[in-house]
Amino acid sequence: MSHSQHSPKNNKNKRKKPRRSQEDIMANAFLRATFKPVKKSMIMAWFLDVVSVLLLVGQTSVLVAIFSFWLDYFLGKSELVAPNIWWWAVVVGLLMVARAVLAYVRDYLLTNAGLSVAKSVRQRLFDKLGELGLARRYFGADGALATKIVSEPDHLIGFARFDVQKMTAVTTPIILAGCISFYSVTASVILLLTAPLVPIFMAFIGIATARKSREQMDALAQLGGRFLDWIRGINTLSRLSAVDIAVVDIEKSSEDYRKRTMSVLKIAFLNSAVLEFLSALSIALVAVYLGFGLMGILPWAEGQVLTTYSTALFILLLVPEFYAPLRRLGAEYHVKGQAMACAKAIAPMLNFKSKHTQGVPITLKTPPSFHLKNITAFGDDGRVRLSPTTLDFMAGKRSALMGESGAGKSTILHILLGFGDYEGDVLIDDGVSYRYGDIDVAHLRQQMGYLSQSVPLLPLSIGENLRLAKASASDDELWAVLDDVGLSAVIRALPMGLDTPLGERGRGLSGGQGQRLGIAQLLLQDSNVWLLDEPTEHLDVQTADEIKSLLWRLSAGKTVIWVTHDENFGDLTFDVVHDLNKKGQADEK
């Protein structure tokens, strides 16, 4: 056996390359599943296209009849009858109006379908972001994620139009070719032979469009991430007189995004120009055939008139409409490229399955206890975020969790909330003991109250922020919890009361008032577990003492885990104090 038969090069050539990558398969499956709820609207839009084509054939027939009548009149073969002409003109006008109405309804259906899908996907992304927690770092920085959630679903809007146009681009030419074949089989054959040129060229353009669209979206995500990072550090930049550096960096990212956007548009315009050229060439070919046929100078039928003026007019009026859906499909092909690029970006995020959401959902009826057994957690860089730790948080007791910065206090809260990976065992017991690995932690998380150093208040009204914790809460319930946290008098004094809008991050309230509003949200949740991550860290001493006393009073009977680095508890007496600097030791009060 020769050496060439065993060569690696030959073996490589024998391997068959997959036609589509796994990423493409996932993106196509995502688009099919996402647009399935609006499939009826898309089918209806396609049906309207079919009806519109049939009306077009009728409209063309009437126009040809009018032309034939006028031609016969000028040739002296018939007399002009005015009422008949006007009646035909009215019919043509009605058919044109009917086609315009159908086109409007079609566009309305497809636009609403696209907007509905984009809204649904954006909501799913928001929900998934809340479910992912710390795992969101696998999908980019916060700025890139914000761009992905806010901007990218809009690229799906036009896909419904493309998908329907794809069906129309098949049915319309077939219907028109069938109608034309009644008068000239040769003309219909010419049309059917030239029609594949459009999708063939479109396929070549589509590959480049998808790649350029993905690069454009990546550039936009990078721009969003950089902008958010610079905005977050604007105070530091101002102090260091380095604002110009940020401006230059953002300017470079903006220019990169502009260039990539223009690359996509360039391909789109090139695609349209070539498709128009191919269509014009094909129409000209049919027109030449009909012209030579009328003059009787076709090489295979010299001296024979193969068609009439009326037939030639009928065919020539329909030929542009034969290629019109193919041209529109080609012109909108870049929409599919953008939708595919969007699907490739967001499908992995939506399909991400956390191992903490695959278990049995449990409902806490009483304050539970938590038992951490030899828990270890690592960061993405491999650094130990929490060294082997064993802790017990007893049911209905208040436990303080202390330690130096970086000791793993917040990491423990994240683990209890179901965010992040860890090694070891976590048990929860509310009368029945469960392993965290066996339950749906996402469902459990909804039954936990969490308060951090800064409450994530949104630029909504005070009432709307409170109802984020309980959407069905009445105004009386809101005023009750505001009274419990000592904010009711302050809110009632405002001109708009509960409808008073807040700015970004709760602007309009002081730090202490923001924390009190966060505590009011905890009360509305009515959770049996409160996880408090240094809730008084950035407050002045007096306000901090007031918030501590308030939390202490309202958390009675709950399982409370209070993260703090302050060893001076004042009047607070925790049931258990865990110091992560002293592993294995707990001070019970």
Side-chain angles (χ1 to χ4, degrees), residues 363-375:
T363 301
L364 300 178
K365 296 182 176 156
T366 60
S369 59
F370 296 91
H371 308 282
L372 281 66
K373 297 184 177 181
N374 204 29
I375 292 297

Side-chain angles (χ1 to χ4, degrees), residues 304-579:
Q304 299 180 25
V305 178
L306 299 181
T307 184
T308 64
Y309 288 107
S310 298
T311 299
L313 178 62
F314 179 81
I315 294 174
L316 286 176
L317 286 176
L318 290 184
V319 166
E321 298 297 331
F322 178 92
Y323 293 103
L326 294 170
R327 292 202 310 271
R328 283 196 294 269
L329 180 64
E332 292 182 359
Y333 200 77
H334 72 282
V335 173
K336 184 207 174 184
Q338 289 180 326
M340 282 290 291
C342 173
K344 289 178 182 180
I346 63 181
M349 181 175 174
L350 290 175
N351 293 334
F352 182 81
K353 299 294 184 183
S354 172
K355 65 182 181 181
H356 302 308
T357 61
Q358 305 301 306
V360 179
I362 63 172
T363 301
L364 300 178
K365 296 182 176 156
T366 60
S369 59
F370 296 91
H371 308 282
L372 281 66
K373 297 184 177 181
N374 204 29
I375 292 297
T376 305
F378 299 91
D380 291 338
D381 55 358
R383 182 178 62 86
V384 176
R385 296 180 61 185
L386 179 68
S387 57
T389 301
T390 298
L391 296 174
D392 294 309
F393 301 104
M394 304 312 297
K397 303 294 184 181
R398 300 183 180 100
S399 303
L401 188 58
M402 301 182 61
E404 298 177 351
S405 296
K409 305 185 298 295
S410 296
T411 299
I412 289 177
L413 295 191
H414 292 157
I415 290 173
L416 293 177
L417 287 167
F419 297 139
D421 295 325
Y422 60 88
E423 296 178 0
D425 273 334
V426 179
L427 304 177
I428 180 173
D429 191 335
D430 68 337
V432 179
S433 183
Y434 299 92
R435 289 181 65 255
Y436 255 48
D438 299 331
I439 65 174
D440 184 347
V441 184
H443 179 73
L444 175 65
R445 182 166 60 243
Q446 297 173 3
Q447 305 170 64
M448 294 181 174
Y450 176 76
L451 185 65
S452 61
Q453 299 173 9
S454 58
V455 180
L457 299 175
L458 300 179
L460 305 170
S461 70
I462 293 174
E464 288 171 329
N465 270 284
L466 287 173
R467 287 191 173 93
L468 292 175
K470 184 180 179 182
S472 61
S474 64
D475 285 355
D476 290 339
E477 289 181 89
L478 300 188
W479 285 117
V481 295
L482 289 173
D483 189 56
D484 287 338
V485 300
L487 270 183
S488 60
V490 176
I491 304 301
R492 289 183 190 278
L494 297 173
M496 300 178 66
L498 290 172
D499 295 326
T500 301
L502 300 179
E504 291 286 344
R505 299 187 180 182
R507 190 174 66 251
L509 297 177
S510 66
Q513 290 171 340
Q515 290 299 96
R516 288 175 185 270
L517 200 61
I519 298 171
Q521 289 177 326
L522 292 184
L523 292 177
L524 284 171
Q525 281 183 272
D526 193 25
S527 303
N528 287 311
V529 180
W530 278 13
L531 305 180
L532 310 176
D533 193 357
E534 300 184 288
T536 61
E537 176 66 16
H538 298 304
L539 303 177
D540 60 81
V541 176
Q542 180 181 351
T543 304
D545 289 341
E546 292 174 359
I547 297 299
K548 286 178 182 177
S549 299
L550 180 62
L551 285 169
W552 197 261
R553 176 171 61 85
L554 297 175
S555 64
K558 301 180 183 295
T559 299
V560 179
I561 303 175
W562 191 322
V563 170
T564 181
H565 67 271
D566 188 0
E567 297 183 2
N568 181 18
F569 301 137
D571 296 333
L572 307 185
T573 305
F574 286 96
D575 297 297
V576 180
V577 177
H578 294 288
D579 191 343

Side-chain angles (χ1 to χ4, degrees), residues 78-294:
S78 65
E79 295 182 0
L80 180 64
V81 182
N84 288 342
I85 296 296
W86 284 110
W87 187 85
W88 286 340
V90 170
V91 171
V92 171
L94 290 176
L95 289 173
M96 293 176 66
V97 170
R99 292 187 65 219
V101 171
L102 291 178
Y104 173 81
V105 175
R106 172 191 184 274
D107 288 345
Y108 178 81
L109 289 173
L110 294 179
T111 300
N112 277 1
L115 290 173
S116 173
V117 167
K119 181 180 178 181
S120 172
V121 169
R122 188 175 286 112
Q123 185 59 53
R124 288 169 58 194
L125 285 170
F126 274 120
D127 294 340
K128 193 66 179 184
L129 190 63
E131 178 188 320
L132 287 174
L134 297 179
R136 69 177 185 272
R137 64 184 182 273
Y138 300 137
F139 303 100
D142 289 346
L145 283 173
T147 302
K148 186 176 294 185
I149 292 173
V150 174
S151 300
E152 292 206 6
D154 290 338
H155 293 294
L156 298 173
I157 295 176
F159 184 77
R161 191 182 306 277
F162 169 81
D163 205 45
V164 171
Q165 190 61 41
K166 187 170 60 175
M167 295 187 289
T168 301
V170 174
T171 55
T172 297
I174 290 176
I175 292 172
L176 295 181
C179 293
I180 291 172
S181 66
F182 280 105
Y183 300 98
S184 174
V185 175
T186 304
S188 64
V189 169
I190 293 173
L191 293 176
L192 293 175
L193 289 177
T194 56
L197 293 175
V198 175
I200 289 173
F201 181 81
M202 190 174 61
F204 287 114
I205 293 294
I207 298 173
T209 302
R211 185 179 68 252
K212 292 292 184 181
S213 295
R214 181 65 263 161
E215 292 175 356
Q216 179 202 22
M217 292 181 188
D218 290 341
L220 180 60
Q222 183 186 48
L223 175 60
R226 286 177 176 273
F227 186 75
L228 180 61
D229 290 341
W230 286 121
I231 289 297
R232 282 176 170 174
I234 191 65
N235 293 331
T236 303
L237 291 172
S238 297
R239 286 194 295 269
L240 297 175
S241 299
V243 175
D244 290 342
I245 297 176
V247 172
V248 171
D249 184 64
I250 293 174
E251 185 178 357
K252 288 181 179 179
S253 295
S254 300
E255 180 63 17
D256 181 53
Y257 175 64
R258 185 191 68 81
K259 289 180 178 178
R260 295 184 187 278
T261 301
M262 295 306 295
S263 296
V264 175
L265 292 176
K266 182 171 66 176
I267 292 176
F269 284 122
L270 175 64
N271 188 21
S272 299
V274 174
L275 293 179
E276 290 292 341
F277 173 75
L278 290 175
S279 299
L281 195 63
S282 301
I283 293 171
L285 185 60
V286 175
V288 168
Y289 163 74
L290 293 174
F292 285 1
L294 283 171

